[in-house]
């Protein structure tokens, strides 16, 4: 499996444990747990393959267009945000009465 699939799978499994020791034991000793989490991780990653509009906006408006990792993080942050990002407008930040 790829590094990112393993990272996501471990993150999913970690949410089911109250402490690091129980996570480490489950991850190390239970092949079926790892296998199931890998399946879930691949599905989660596949689900975000097509970016949302908010993710695209975040990527386009990232400060450093040459920083691909930073653009990716901005897009993922937008996906995880409680409220979708919106396209900045000339009037944003100023309100007329």
């Amino acid at each position: 499996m790829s590094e990112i699939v393993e990272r996501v799978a471990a993150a999913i499994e970690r949410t089911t444990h109250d402490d690091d020791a129980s996570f480490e034991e489950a991850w190390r000793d239970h092949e079926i747990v790892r296998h199931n989490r890998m399946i879930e991780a691949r599905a989660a990653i596949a689900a975000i393959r097509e970016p949302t509009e908010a993710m695209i906006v975040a990527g386009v408006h990232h400060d450093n267009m040459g920083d691909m990792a930073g653009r990716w993080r901005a897009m993922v942050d937008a996906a995880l945000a409680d409220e979708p990002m919106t396209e900045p407008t000339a009037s944003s930040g100023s309100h007329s009465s």
Side-chain angles (χ1 to χ4, degrees), residues 30-66:
H30 301 284
E31 186 174 333
I32 192 73
V33 169
R34 284 192 314 277
H35 176 77
N36 288 340
R37 295 302 184 237
M38 295 289 191
I39 292 169
E40 293 166 350
R42 289 184 63 77
I45 293 167
I48 64 167
R49 185 171 190 194
E50 292 302 321
T52 64
E53 186 65 30
M55 292 171 72
I56 293 169
V57 169
V60 167
H61 294 288
H62 179 65
D63 292 338
N64 183 350
M65 295 304 274

Side-chain angles (χ1 to χ4, degrees), residues 8-89:
V8 172
I12 293 169
E13 179 60 24
R14 193 173 292 279
T15 67
T16 68
H17 297 274
D18 293 331
D19 58 68
D20 287 341
S22 67
F23 162 76
E24 293 295 336
E25 178 186 348
W27 198 244
R28 179 186 64 240
D29 297 338
H30 301 284
E31 186 174 333
I32 192 73
V33 169
R34 284 192 314 277
H35 176 77
N36 288 340
R37 295 302 184 237
M38 295 289 191
I39 292 169
E40 293 166 350
R42 289 184 63 77
I45 293 167
I48 64 167
R49 185 171 190 194
E50 292 302 321
T52 64
E53 186 65 30
M55 292 171 72
I56 293 169
V57 169
V60 167
H61 294 288
H62 179 65
D63 292 338
N64 183 350
M65 295 304 274
D67 176 15
M68 292 304 292
R71 289 176 77 186
W72 171 255
R73 283 189 287 279
M75 293 174 75
V76 171
D77 288 348
L80 296 173
D82 290 339
E83 296 180 12
M85 294 181 65
T86 57
E87 181 101 19
T89 62

